[in-house]
Amino acid sequence: MESNCVQFLENKTILVTGVPGFLAKVFVEKILRIQPNVKKLFLLLRAADNESAMQRFRSEVLEKDLFRVLRNKLGDGNLKALVSDKVIPIPGDISVDNLGVKDSDLLKRMWNEIDIVVNVAATTNFDERYDVGIRINTFGPLNVLNFAKKCVKGQLLLHVSTAYVCGEKSGLLQEKTFHMGETLNGHGNLVIETEMELMKQKLKELQKLDCPVEEIAQTMKDLGMSRAKFHGWPNTYVFTKSMGEMLLNNHKEDLPVVVIRPTMITSTFSEPFPGWIEGLRTIDSVIVAYGKGRLKCFLADPNSVLDLVPVDMVANAMVNAAAIHAGKLGSQTVYHVGSSSKNPITFEQVHDLAARYFTKNPLFGLNGSPIIVSKGTILSTMAQFNFYVTLRYKLPLQMLRLIDIIYPWWDGNKYKDIDRKIKLAMRLVELYRPYVLFKGIFDDVKTEILRLKTKEIDTKLYDLFEFDPNSIDWDDYITTIHIPGLITYVLRQ
């Protein structure tokens, strides 16, 4: 009989990268709360030394409201004791060999003790600099894999990717692995080493020309976007993540590898308490801008399914997958963790729920009066959006420019300011376009089998590791959990 998740975590030594990111934090809190007899948690984060790693862990993880349930349960003193006994924050970096761990004794200890490696580290900027994206999202997973292979007790590498590695495909999207050289548009062969060389050459060129830092950054961003689009991906983020998956698939050998592909991660559904969130994700920035009265028009297909999944469900799926696959030599499994297949919600539904919420609970402007939200204009094609922006903003802007030319002594800053805002808005729309006009549904057959297996193993504990999207009532979740959680987060900033 396979062990349930709580038993599985007992006496395990786990390495987690990407701490203190949103998902990694929720994953770590879950383990400490439900299995205080975990043996050790090595937590890799960027820091100069051990002391600053511990300091960063305390301020950016442990002191967060997320840990209040555990703090209330144990009391401050006992929580500190648990953490000092179980948690070892480590300064490191997945983009370099041995994950940047400098202390050779610590390295040996990690290789001797670690059972499970969980890689959550990533850069999630859609238009990340190509050099940064390749280093972290493409070669980072390979460095983590090579590290995991050196762990003598290593039973599993669990790697968090994103469901959107599929690009802009429509229809039912299968839970299948990427093969080396695969492209999304059949455009020749994708050679990762060539991409690396192109990136290095461009960087060298720019440095030789002594370009300003801003110009280098922008050129590297543009290069990432153009290489992604050349091979059929909409942006640098999903392109570099896809290449990372290819490297894992190609170099895994006998080590069991699980790839978790979440969709759009949202606030906690129930654990440790509902509505905890950090950072504004894809749809969240749209909801907040709408509540602040700043979103008069938006590009989106009202019928497009927004695949949302609460962060605690993703963390639960990760623990379940680790318990099922640890020690199963040579296996590689991909799991889609989302809601579009079992319990879809459309952009129009989210928009209606947000309108209902902010009408009842308006935010307040700087002058203290409530912000009245209007339904706004949703435009469902890029052509409609461009036409609307031209009529509403660009033509009046041309008038301002004309005044600027005729009356040069007139204060023309207004023209420059509006022009800059329009360009920024258009850039954001272009970045979000693949997701607000998305036509895909993420198949989750394997994830459903995983759910059934874990239920079979222990029905009593299944609720503790719930990750079934069918249990979400979207009306209730969006209006009483998610948006209030978002507003709480925004007001804290």
Side-chain angles (χ1 to χ4, degrees):
M1 180 71 171
E2 290 176 88
S3 65
N4 65 44
C5 293
V6 176
Q7 288 165 347
F8 169 76
L9 291 167
E10 189 171 4
N11 224 19
K12 286 285 188 302
T13 296
I14 303 169
L15 166 67
V16 185
T17 73
V19 182
F22 176 50
L23 175 58
K25 260 202 272 268
V26 172
F27 181 72
V28 167
E29 188 276 343
K30 176 86 182 187
I31 293 173
L32 288 172
R33 181 164 41 84
I34 58 132
Q35 187 45 283
N37 294 325
V38 66
K39 193 169 188 182
K40 278 283 181 282
L41 288 175
F42 288 106
L43 306 181
L44 193 83
L45 43 89
R46 288 172 183 272
D49 51 38
N50 290 342
E51 198 182 319
S52 47
M54 179 51 93
Q55 181 48 47
R56 195 171 172 211
F57 169 73
R58 285 191 192 288
S59 64
E60 294 183 41
V61 182
L62 199 58
E63 287 166 14
K64 295 289 178 185
D65 198 33
L66 174 71
F67 281 77
R68 78 164 185 238
V69 170
L70 196 52
R71 189 171 282 107
N72 292 344
K73 183 177 148 190
L74 298 178
D76 256 346
N78 287 341
L79 179 58
K80 274 182 188 151
L82 176 70
V83 166
S84 65
D85 184 31
K86 304 294 182 184
V87 176
I88 305 174
I90 294 167
D93 180 350
I94 68 159
S95 69
V96 290
D97 275 352
N98 292 335
L99 310 185
V101 180
K102 307 269 194 303
D103 180 336
S104 57
D105 291 339
L106 176 60
L107 260 181
K108 282 183 197 133
R109 182 188 169 188
M110 291 169 80
W111 286 332
N112 283 326
E113 294 182 13
I114 287 169
D115 302 292
I116 308 290
V117 176
V118 179
N119 181 38
V120 197
T123 170
T124 56
N125 298 330
F126 289 169
D127 60 344
E128 183 59 270
R129 288 177 55 140
Y130 200 31
D131 50 335
V132 175
I134 280 190
R135 223 176 50 239
I136 298 172
N137 292 347
T138 303
F139 284 94
L142 183 61
N143 291 330
V144 175
L145 175 71
N146 290 334
F147 188 94
K149 282 181 185 174
K150 292 175 187 168
C151 297
V152 290
K153 293 161 68 185
Q155 299 177 26
L156 178 77
L157 165 59
L158 189 139
H159 171 71
V160 177
S161 184
T162 167
Y164 295 95
V165 287
C166 64
E168 296 173 81
K169 285 183 182 172
S170 54
L172 196 62
L173 306 160
Q174 311 292 322
E175 295 162 295
K176 62 181 181 33
T177 54
F178 273 109
H179 299 293
M180 214 59 168
E182 203 178 314
T183 63
L184 291 187
N185 56 10
H187 232 198
N189 206 24
L190 166 58
V191 181
I192 295 175
E193 287 68 28
T194 307
E195 295 302 318
M196 189 72 166
E197 272 316 300
L198 270 172
M199 177 273 285
K200 282 180 176 168
Q201 260 176 323
K202 178 56 84 178
L203 207 49
K204 213 180 274 178
E205 226 173 85
L206 294 164
Q207 283 157 351
K208 212 181 253 181
L209 291 168
D210 219 4
C211 295
V213 177
E214 295 80 14
E215 194 185 323
I216 293 178
Q218 193 53 54
T219 307
M220 294 315 288
K221 282 184 173 190
D222 294 344
L223 178 65
M225 291 296 274
S226 69
R227 294 310 298 165
K229 285 175 177 168
F230 178 75
H231 290 297
W233 279 269
N235 58 52
T236 313
Y237 167 54
V238 290
F239 177 46
T240 53
K241 288 291 278 185
S242 305
M243 291 193 286
E245 281 196 31
M246 287 175 199
L247 289 174
L248 283 185
N249 191 24
N250 203 48
H251 296 280
K252 68 179 188 297
E253 293 167 10
D254 274 347
L255 184 75
V257 172
V258 167
V259 175
I260 297 281
R261 288 186 189 154
T263 52
M264 294 182 205
I265 301 180
T266 55
S267 58
T268 53
F269 178 64
S270 61
E271 282 198 55
F273 54 88
W276 187 79
I277 194 165
E278 205 172 54
L280 296 179
R281 266 134 203 92
T282 317
I283 195 64
D284 300 336
S285 41
V286 174
I287 292 172
V288 170
Y290 175 72
K292 287 181 174 178
R294 290 181 189 158
L295 204 66
K296 303 296 181 205
C297 75
F298 195 70
L299 169 73
D301 177 350
N303 303 314
S304 186
V305 170
L306 279 180
D307 201 316
L308 311 177
V309 61
V311 63
D312 47 333
M313 288 195 177
V314 182
N316 289 347
M318 287 162 69
V319 179
N320 277 293
I324 294 289
H325 290 279
K328 299 205 168 144
L329 294 184
S331 64
Q332 177 166 1
T333 317
V334 172
Y335 289 114
H336 282 157
V337 184
S339 58
S340 57
S341 174
K342 297 275 182 300
N343 187 9
I345 181 168
T346 64
F347 183 89
E348 187 166 42
Q349 282 172 281
V350 173
H351 185 234
D352 288 347
L353 291 169
R356 195 195 311 164
Y357 178 85
F358 288 114
T359 302
K360 269 191 195 164
N361 315 280
L363 295 176
F364 290 87
L366 292 173
N367 60 1
S369 57
I371 297 166
I372 308 299
V373 293
S374 62
K375 200 71 168 44
T377 310
I378 296 182
L379 304 150
S380 57
T381 69
M382 202 64 191
Q384 283 177 358
F385 185 79
N386 282 329
F387 183 66
Y388 178 89
V389 170
T390 301
L391 276 184
R392 183 84 192 263
Y393 300 105
K394 287 186 181 172
L395 290 178
L397 194 65
Q398 290 312 312
M399 292 302 291
L400 276 180
R401 190 163 182 219
L402 197 60
I403 294 167
D404 208 13
I405 293 164
I406 300 167
Y407 306 110
W409 58 88
W410 179 75
D411 179 16
N413 283 344
K414 199 172 180 186
Y415 166 76
K416 288 193 180 103
D417 186 46
I418 299 170
D419 188 46
R420 188 179 52 77
K421 282 179 179 164
I422 289 175
K423 281 181 177 146
L424 178 68
M426 294 305 281
R427 195 181 130 268
L428 287 174
V429 162
E430 187 49 44
L431 281 178
Y432 283 127
R433 182 187 51 77
Y435 307 106
V436 291
L437 300 178
F438 194 68
K439 297 281 186 285
I441 297 292
F442 292 105
D443 190 21
D444 62 352
V445 169
K446 290 179 188 169
T447 310
E448 184 59 23
I449 291 166
L450 178 68
R451 272 193 280 271
L452 295 172
K453 263 188 195 169
T454 49
K455 207 167 197 173
E456 212 175 276
I457 290 164
D458 197 329
T459 315
K460 289 196 293 291
L461 284 174
Y462 177 73
D463 288 350
L464 194 57
F465 292 93
E466 169 77 277
F467 61 109
D468 185 354
N470 276 323
S471 61
I472 305 169
D473 172 339
W474 288 118
D475 281 30
D476 181 61
Y477 172 71
I478 298 286
T479 58
T480 69
I481 297 174
H482 186 60
I483 299 181
L486 268 183
I487 300 310
T488 302
Y489 169 74
V490 170
L491 295 178
R492 276 203 316 261
Q493 297 316 295

